[in-house]
Amino acid sequence: MSDSIFITDVGPRDGLQNQPKILTVEQRLALIAAIAGAGVASIEVGSFVSPRAVPAMAGTDEVVKSLPAGDGTHYTALIPNLKGYELAREAGAASVTMVLYASEGMARKNVGMSMQAAEEATTEILARAREDDIEVIATISVAFACPFDGAIDPAVVSAVADRFMRLGADRVVIADTIGAADPQQVRALTADLVRDHGSERLGCHFHDTRAMGLANVFAAVESGIRRFDASIGGLGGCPFAPGASGNVATEDVVMMLEQMGFRTGIDLSDLLAASDLAEQLTGTAPGGRSKAWLKPWLAQQAAG
Ligand code: COA
Ligand code: ZN
């Protein structure tokens, strides 16, 4: 098993979509640049959704158009439907992250579609993206529990993952949108998925609502997962999923995995500077337990 971990920071999307304070395009770009500057492999920079539904994500086309070309960072943008795909393509996105659902309740509340309709739209997007040479990441939301429909049968998630692996999604990400999963559930589901599909195209996305985010990352690592979403400063939460709080903080995930001997390619001092910027821009610091300990420790290392 590889000792390299590939982190996608979803703070500029998952983190900012739910903030009471709406950032300007320039502020969003500054946050993205700070995260990229820390060596984070991949960043989800925004979403092509209705600005009426999510005002904080208006202007994502400007964000995508202004991303630095060829800086070695992988950038993706979330899309909820075909219209989002077209907007992302017009803005020049090289990668899109399309949302699939493990429950009917969440599909309806989030995008007013059935699970089946979201799968059909994704199938169509995959076909178009192949022609347009755009990468498609398929994220299965509410993969463990849904705020509307309750517990999710892992067989439902496995079946969706199986279909989109076969259809050629570049990646399939298992998302605990409301942060309700426990490490045993995560270990069981991810072990089955890695056995069936290998780990190369699989990723996980955890929220820390019930303080199990890092434990869930660990459980997935043990199953062989090497791709994780995380959010700078632990910002995050879905406006359409009641009770969903922030993602597991990027700095916490990086500190834990590096201490365990994995390589993320991320510079922790620069990452903390990005976390400070996220805090300063949004006026909130919801997560990120490691920062309070890491800051003086890193200063001591630098001095010594
Ligand atoms: N981006 C921007 N605008 C979009 C869009 C997209 N991806 N998809 C649809 N729209 C526009 C339509 O053109 C229409 O505009 P109009 O009223 O000016 O004609 C309007 O949104 C309503 O479209 P409709 O198809 O009737 O859908 P809806 O009102 O049920 O809204 C979504 C559906 C998907 C557009 C909306 O719920 C949404 O953007 N949700 C975002 C969900 C999200 O971001 N969740 C968090 C991350 S998973
Ligand atoms: Zn999320």
Side-chain angles (χ1 to χ4, degrees), residues 153-172:
D153 179 356
V156 171
V157 182
S158 292
V160 178
D162 197 55
R163 280 196 285 281
F164 285 90
M165 281 289 184
R166 282 175 206 278
L167 281 167
D170 292 275
R171 282 183 225 152
V172 172

Side-chain angles (χ1 to χ4, degrees), residues 10 13-14 17 175-178 205-207 229 236-238 245 247:
V10 297
R13 195 279 302 172
D14 211 338
Q17 72 182 5
D176 182 19
T177 309
I178 59 169
H205 173 115
F206 295 116
H207 283 254
D229 291 354
C238 177
S245 75
N247 294 75

Side-chain angles (χ1 to χ4, degrees), residues 78-236:
L78 185 135
I79 57 169
N81 54 17
L82 270 163
K83 166 135 190 186
Y85 175 78
E86 287 306 327
L87 294 172
R89 187 183 58 79
E90 282 161 26
S95 169
V96 294
T97 298
M98 174 66 185
V99 189
L100 291 163
Y101 302 88
S103 78
E104 293 295 349
M106 190 63 194
R108 289 253 164 255
K109 277 283 191 292
N110 201 41
V111 286
M113 284 187 204
S114 64
M115 289 165 67
Q116 170 81 21
E119 291 198 16
E120 284 165 10
T122 308
T123 306
E124 173 69 23
I125 287 165
L126 278 165
R128 293 195 197 180
R130 206 164 287 129
E131 303 218 323
D132 298 333
D133 199 21
I134 292 175
E135 177 191 72
V136 179
I137 300 168
T139 288
I140 305 174
S141 72
V142 294
F144 297 92
C146 168
F148 311 107
D149 299 358
I152 300 296
D153 179 356
V156 171
V157 182
S158 292
V160 178
D162 197 55
R163 280 196 285 281
F164 285 90
M165 281 289 184
R166 282 175 206 278
L167 281 167
D170 292 275
R171 282 183 225 152
V172 172
V173 175
I174 308 302
D176 182 19
T177 309
I178 59 169
D182 67 62
Q184 300 244 47
Q185 289 176 295
V186 170
R187 187 195 301 267
L189 178 59
T190 53
D192 283 354
L193 291 171
V194 170
R195 181 198 60 215
D196 292 347
H197 307 289
S199 68
E200 187 46 42
R201 289 195 286 152
L202 281 170
C204 284
H205 173 115
F206 295 116
H207 283 254
D208 201 28
T209 316
R210 303 187 194 178
M212 289 189 278
L214 270 191
N216 288 335
V217 170
F218 176 68
V221 164
E222 291 254 286
S223 296
I225 299 288
R226 294 293 180 268
R227 297 179 181 277
F228 291 95
D229 291 354
S231 173
I232 192 74
L235 295 174

